[in-house]
Amino acid sequence: GDAWDVVSGIDALVAQGLVDGTRVGSMGWSQGGYISAFLTTRHADRFKAISVGAGISDWMTYYVNTDIHPFTRQYLKATPWNDPKIYADTSPMTYIKQAKAPTLIQHGELDRRVPIPNAYELYQGLVDQGVEAKLVVFKGFGHGLNKPKAVRAALEQNLEWFSKHVLDVK
């Protein structure tokens, strides 16, 4: 539902003339990264570029690797063995063949909350679909970037990505 909230918000802003609907990007970290990953596969025609920071790309991959299994069972109301359909329906990877938007993926190497296999899976899926993708792994970092140089690097990477793909600044 979060992805549809984002899309309906964009639609409202476009309808009011506040946003150019042909130059929209999305970025987020953690839950926002998951939403952005979902947007890159389910609503790819709406976005010129996407940035996924420490986002879940596949709930099964997440479930078997995360340090917070109870969260997943509470959020999806099941384990993957009891309801594989809900895990598939809510996983961006299920819809990878629809992906089109150039996607920047940023992830901490030591992330135990959203383990890095999520980043590798999304990256490989995008590349296999011929979608421009860039994966940046922040060595020594977990789920969040907590040092000024890393935060600055992530911000600069996003600025460069969106300048190139959304603003058409080379």
Side-chain angles (χ1 to χ4, degrees), residues 18-40:
L18 299 173
V19 170
D20 177 352
T22 66
R23 294 165 62 115
V24 176
S26 175
M27 66 181 286
W29 198 275
S30 192
Q31 175 70 12
Y34 164 63
I35 294 167
S36 288
F38 211 84
L39 292 171
T40 203

Side-chain angles (χ1 to χ4, degrees), residues 28-29 33 37 50-57 93 101-111 114-128 131-139 141-142 145 153-154 157-158 160-161 164-165:
W29 198 275
I50 301 278
S51 176
V52 175
I56 295 167
S57 63
M93 291 306 298
T103 303
L104 171 65
I105 303 163
Q106 299 168 309
H107 214 103
E109 169 194 34
L110 306 175
D111 192 342
V114 179
I116 199 162
N118 283 273
Y120 292 135
E121 190 171 351
L122 180 60
Y123 176 75
Q124 191 61 55
L126 291 167
V127 168
D128 288 350
V131 175
E132 182 181 350
K134 180 179 180 180
L135 173 61
V136 179
V137 176
F138 287 87
K139 301 286 184 193
F141 285 90
L145 304 179
Q157 291 160 8
N158 277 287
E160 180 181 321
W161 192 257
K164 175 183 176 186
H165 294 290

Side-chain angles (χ1 to χ4, degrees), residues 48-49 102 132 157-170:
K48 285 199 69 173
E132 182 181 350
Q157 291 160 8
N158 277 287
L159 178 60
E160 180 181 321
W161 192 257
F162 289 108
S163 292
K164 175 183 176 186
H165 294 290
V166 177
L167 303 176
D168 297 319
V169 176
K170 305 298 179 208

Side-chain angles (χ1 to χ4, degrees), residues 67-139:
D67 64 347
I68 55 169
H69 299 286
F71 163 77
T72 314
R73 290 190 297 265
Q74 179 184 10
Y75 188 70
L76 297 179
K77 308 287 190 235
T79 67
W81 337 119
N82 294 334
D83 190 353
K85 183 174 178 350
I86 191 68
Y87 278 73
D89 289 350
T90 57
S91 291
M93 291 306 298
T94 301
Y95 313 98
I96 195 70
K97 289 188 174 190
Q98 298 173 35
K100 293 183 183 97
T103 303
L104 171 65
I105 303 163
Q106 299 168 309
H107 214 103
E109 169 194 34
L110 306 175
D111 192 342
R112 294 182 57 216
R113 186 64 22 100
V114 179
I116 199 162
N118 283 273
Y120 292 135
E121 190 171 351
L122 180 60
Y123 176 75
Q124 191 61 55
L126 291 167
V127 168
D128 288 350
Q129 297 307 310
V131 175
E132 182 181 350
K134 180 179 180 180
L135 173 61
V136 179
V137 176
F138 287 87
K139 301 286 184 193

